[in-house]
Amino acid sequence: MLALAGVSLDVSEGEIVGLVGRNGAGKTTTMRCVMGIVRPDQGTVSWLGHPVGQADRRRFGYMPEERGLYPQMRILDQVSYFAQLHGLEVDAANASASAWLERLGLKARAEERLVALSHGNQQRVQLAVALVHDPSLLVLDEPFAGLDPEAVDSLSQVLSDQAEQGTAILFSSHQLELVERVCQRVVILDDGRVLAAGTLTELRRRFPAELRVKVDAPPEWAKALADTRILRADQEGVLLIVEPGVDPQTILRAAERAGKVEHFGFESGGLIDLYRQVVSR
Amino acid sequence: MTRLVARREITERVQGRLLRVMTALTAALVVAGIVIPSLVRGPSRPTTIGLVGRSAEALAPALQRSAAAAHVRVKLHSIATDALARSEVRSGTLDLALSAGPTGVQAEVKQSLSAADRSLLQATLDEAHLVQTLARAGVPAVTIASALTPVPMTTRALEPSSPDRQARAIAALAASLLMYLSLSLYGAAVANGVAQEKTSRTAEVLLAAVRPEQLLGGKVTGIGLTGLGQLAIAAAAGLIANAFVHSATIPGSVWVLLPSFLVYFLLGFALYAFAFAAAGAIVARQEEVQFVTLPLGMILLGGYLLVYAAIASPNAAWLRVISFLPPLTASLMPARIALGHVAAWEIPVDVLIMILSIYATARLAARIYTAALVRGGARISWRDAVQLRAR
């Protein structure tokens, strides 16, 4: 069974990269390769120009998709324990654990066992474990899964703050609107292959866009446009599929020649639309 | 890192209520095993016999002679009436009451006449009848007395048992049972801990910071030290109890048995813990742990059951041979030490074999553990597990 086939991606310091794809696309396997949990048959994982070793990975923070912590362990002790495993001394580990629990709104529950917390709060503890040792790279597998909107906003802010401090962040999610909001770059996986990678702007330029034009004239004016086709025509005008490279001004001039232009604007270009176009090819 | 992992294992268990309850229970059982027998078994006392009436009193000399010949202690009392005798038998003052009438001799007891007492009384009556018959036949009293003198008999034991054989057997069984329960309990703790870390993906977070060998070594060390501490507390409680009651069930070799038990527990635990850890790593769900560890549990049970054979034949050659088999050493050696049939050279040879076996088992288990711990999918069979390589 082939899990990954030639996946290559990079994450820079201070950058948030979103890894998206359907179930079974290879997102988790990719992350597990980065963390050394599985070893690829071919290829390398490099950090700062050299192959990743155990010492490098101790500087990484990881949050697996299945929340993995000790259910009967008190959360402050647990976060401190993982900090010590990552090389912090006891006092520094305790201090960092306390600080992160406070920042994530769990200070009052520091002495409670993990099992006593709600799903969302357990996820916060998991995030604290990933962040407590001030990692250089954060690898988060579905960190927003199951969170309420407030928790999503809170976590998004944490990730943004960490990126501003120079942490490289790679996370996967099925919530494309969230990825679009938080990430600078996106990597789209399917069947173990990278289908597309880049910023949203770069991706938009590579794929057709939807342009709605409302002219007080029949839609035939649009049929003669090159590298453009009519998706549908209704009382709101015509919805055009515009291939990459087409100058919108050309379409605008054609519409003005046909009649009075009441509306001219791109309707798509969001990550959801881009994702659908990418995977459908 | 190994020390950190071990400390976490110890802390989690010490903070948990279960360990404290189990430690208290184990200590209580050990103390009870020492105190109760000393309360139940008092010093042996003579059989008290009430003789009702002159005819019964005439049996007194014969009773004393028969008791002396059988090495039994009796205490004879003259009782005035049958009613008084029955009252004293019911109250326990007398063990039995003898009365003689025209139909013969009657022995009255509270519930039943023991076989030893019956033999004693029958021998007495037979002698009395013989004396009477010989006297009626005109045999001189001197001749009768000479004929009744017991024939001297000496005994020679071909395989003499030690004076505290029963106590040693009890100690052997107790040591073996405690070893079986401890290895099973703590072995299962290792397997369940590993399975929990695997199925909850905690292992993946851990492996980002520590190597699999460090994780495995820390877990085995932490749980092993916890078990050792629990057993040491139970042993200390037993020694304190023994100091108070001086129970005869504890043989004088207790100062050899206890430290050797703890040493063999450590060796046995180390051997089995690595195997239990590998078992925990090959499951896909926590519920599969019991099934996967069943073969290990069966071997432990087999070791415990073999102790019964060891008690029956402590010098058997086959027993000495199988005691060197590493999976059975921890079960059999403490029991054999308690029985007092271990040659001095056996222990260092045993320990050496165990250390080598632990090393080999640890290496194999570490390979399985490393490869299986983060491997998804269905449960891995033992055969496939042995062939695994880390990915």
Side-chain angles (χ1 to χ4, degrees):
Chain A
M1 187 176 110
L2 191 65
L4 297 177
V7 170
S8 287
L9 57 87
D10 60 278
V11 184
S12 302
E13 282 183 283
E15 187 180 35
I16 304 178
V17 175
L19 194 58
V20 301
R22 61 185 173 83
N23 295 335
K27 304 185 297 297
T28 296
T29 305
T30 301
M31 294 186 167
R32 297 173 92 201
C33 284
V34 171
M35 296 307 302
I37 296 167
V38 295
R39 200 181 304 158
D41 295 282
Q42 291 179 350
T44 55
V45 180
S46 301
W47 176 252
L48 300 178
H50 61 264
V52 170
Q54 184 69 32
D56 297 309
R57 290 199 177 95
R58 290 184 78 196
R59 295 285 303 130
F60 296 172
Y62 179 52
M63 188 171 169
E65 184 176 5
E66 290 94 347
R67 305 302 164 222
L69 291 175
Y70 296 105
Q72 298 300 329
M73 203 172 174
R74 294 186 179 90
I75 61 174
L76 178 60
D77 293 340
Q78 187 143 199
V79 177
S80 175
Y81 171 65
F82 280 95
Q84 291 176 58
L85 286 179
H86 282 275
L88 269 65
E89 296 296 327
V90 175
D91 292 338
N94 289 336
S96 183
S98 291
W100 273 108
L101 288 180
E102 182 169 2
R103 180 162 176 195
L104 295 172
L106 294 171
K107 184 182 178 184
R109 313 197 69 175
E111 295 300 320
E112 291 187 38
R113 299 181 195 278
L114 185 77
V115 69
L117 272 58
S118 65
H119 167 75
N121 280 337
Q122 289 187 16
Q123 231 160 297
R124 291 175 196 232
V125 177
Q126 189 85 56
L127 183 64
V129 165
L131 290 164
V132 70
H133 55 286
D134 192 24
S136 306
L137 168 69
L138 265 179
V139 179
L140 311 173
D141 199 347
E142 300 282 353
F144 296 98
L147 294 184
D148 58 50
E150 185 186 340
V152 167
D153 289 342
S154 171
L155 177 54
S156 302
Q157 187 59 52
V158 169
L159 296 184
S160 297
D161 293 345
Q162 286 299 113
E164 279 180 20
Q165 292 176 25
T167 304
I169 301 175
L170 173 69
F171 80 86
S172 68
S173 180
H174 288 297
Q175 298 164 287
L176 299 183
E177 302 94 340
L178 191 61
V179 172
E180 183 175 354
R181 180 156 54 97
V182 175
C183 300
Q184 284 90 43
R185 285 196 298 125
V186 174
V187 177
I188 301 176
L189 286 186
D190 197 38
D191 284 336
R193 292 179 171 78
V194 175
L195 295 185
T199 64
L200 279 178
T201 305
E202 290 167 352
L203 292 176
R204 284 191 194 105
R205 287 201 204 106
R206 291 169 49 191
F207 294 96
E210 291 180 354
L211 175 65
R212 183 171 289 281
V213 183
K214 188 173 182 182
V215 180
D216 59 352
E220 280 68 25
W221 67 268
K223 290 181 181 177
L225 293 170
D227 295 322
T228 304
R229 63 184 175 88
I230 299 173
L231 184 62
R232 64 172 175 270
D234 51 37
Q235 58 265 37
E236 298 300 322
V238 290
L239 188 62
L240 303 173
I241 301 296
V242 181
E243 293 295 325
V246 172
D247 184 0
Q249 295 298 323
T250 308
I251 301 173
L252 180 60
R253 283 193 290 274
E256 286 172 336
R257 282 196 295 274
K260 181 183 175 188
V261 178
E262 295 176 8
H263 177 83
F264 188 92
F266 284 96
E267 284 196 346
S268 67
L271 184 56
I272 294 177
D273 295 318
L274 285 169
Y275 175 80
R276 287 194 183 119
Q277 290 187 67
V278 167
V279 298
S280 65
R281 287 199 160 191
Chain B
M1 287 300 125
T2 303
R3 199 160 35 185
L4 189 57
V5 174
R7 196 162 66 219
R8 193 209 77 85
E9 295 291 341
I10 294 171
T11 304
E12 182 169 89
R13 278 162 182 79
V14 168
Q15 285 179 350
R17 196 185 303 174
L18 180 63
L19 179 72
R20 283 176 275 175
V21 168
M22 289 303 297
T23 302
L25 201 62
T26 307
L29 282 174
V30 169
V31 169
I34 290 168
V35 171
I36 289 174
S38 72
L39 295 176
V40 169
R41 185 186 62 253
S44 60
R45 61 176 185 83
T47 304
T48 51
I49 303 175
L51 303 171
V52 185
R54 280 199 193 138
S55 299
E57 287 171 5
L59 293 173
L63 269 172
Q64 294 286 14
R65 278 197 298 275
S66 297
H71 302 289
V72 172
R73 290 163 55 203
V74 295
K75 205 167 182 182
L76 306 178
H77 299 275
S78 293
I79 308 296
T81 62
D82 284 331
L84 182 58
R86 285 191 197 108
S87 167
E88 295 201 352
V89 167
R90 283 201 179 94
S91 68
T93 307
L94 293 175
D95 290 315
L96 65 98
L98 274 182
S99 57
T103 56
V105 174
Q106 180 170 282
E108 285 182 314
V109 294
K110 187 172 181 181
Q111 288 184 329
S112 61
L113 186 66
S114 70
D117 289 343
R118 181 182 297 280
S119 293
L120 175 69
L121 293 176
Q122 194 62 60
T124 302
L125 293 174
D126 290 347
E127 183 190 297
H129 179 69
L130 180 63
V131 168
Q132 198 176 44
T133 305
L134 289 175
R136 284 201 196 115
V139 176
V142 171
T143 307
I144 294 173
S146 173
L148 291 176
T149 304
V151 177
M153 183 183 73
T154 56
T155 56
R156 185 179 69 172
L158 298 177
E159 290 185 9
S161 61
S162 60
D164 54 355
R165 184 173 186 274
Q166 188 180 20
R168 286 175 175 273
I170 292 173
L173 272 176
S176 182
L177 179 62
L178 195 57
M179 183 68 76
Y180 165 65
L181 291 175
S182 301
L183 291 181
S184 299
L185 189 69
Y186 284 99
V190 171
N192 280 305
V194 170
Q196 189 267 325
E197 285 174 351
K198 175 180 178 176
T199 57
S200 69
R201 304 287 194 191
T202 306
E204 296 189 9
V205 184
L206 289 165
L207 291 175
V210 297
R211 293 196 311 274
E213 307 81 42
Q214 292 171 321
L215 198 56
L216 175 61
K219 183 171 286 297
V220 169
T221 303
I223 295 176
L225 287 176
T226 306
L228 188 67
Q230 187 184 45
L231 288 172
I233 290 172
L239 284 175
I240 292 170
N242 186 54
F244 276 101
V245 301
H246 300 290
S247 173
T249 57
I250 302 296
S253 57
V254 66
W255 298 110
V256 175
L257 177 62
L258 276 176
S260 65
F261 178 87
L262 294 176
V263 168
Y264 277 106
F265 168 76
L266 273 179
L267 293 172
F269 174 77
L271 182 72
Y272 277 97
F274 285 113
F276 272 100
I282 64 176
V283 302
R285 297 193 319 273
Q286 189 88 32
E287 301 80 49
E288 295 171 349
V289 171
Q290 269 186 322
F291 175 75
V292 171
T293 58
L294 186 62
L296 300 173
M298 295 303 293
I299 296 172
L300 284 170
L301 180 62
Y304 166 66
L305 293 176
L306 279 170
V307 169
Y308 287 89
I311 291 171
S313 306
N315 276 326
W318 64 268
L319 182 64
R320 178 168 284 156
V321 170
I322 67 170
S323 296
F324 288 111
L325 294 178
L328 299 177
T329 299
S331 302
L332 291 176
M333 284 305 291
R336 291 185 60 218
I337 290 171
L339 292 171
H341 289 274
V342 172
W345 62 268
E346 289 186 58
I347 294 178
V349 171
D350 254 341
V351 171
L352 181 62
I353 293 174
M354 281 295 281
I355 289 173
L356 293 173
S357 301
I358 290 166
Y359 176 73
T361 305
R363 282 189 62 113
L364 176 61
R367 195 178 86 195
I368 295 172
Y369 177 85
T370 302
L373 189 65
V374 293
R375 188 183 174 108
R379 172 166 51 90
I380 307 164
S381 68
W382 277 109
R383 184 186 298 180
D384 291 340
V386 172
Q387 297 168 358
L388 279 177
R389 287 283 185 269
R391 300 289 299 153

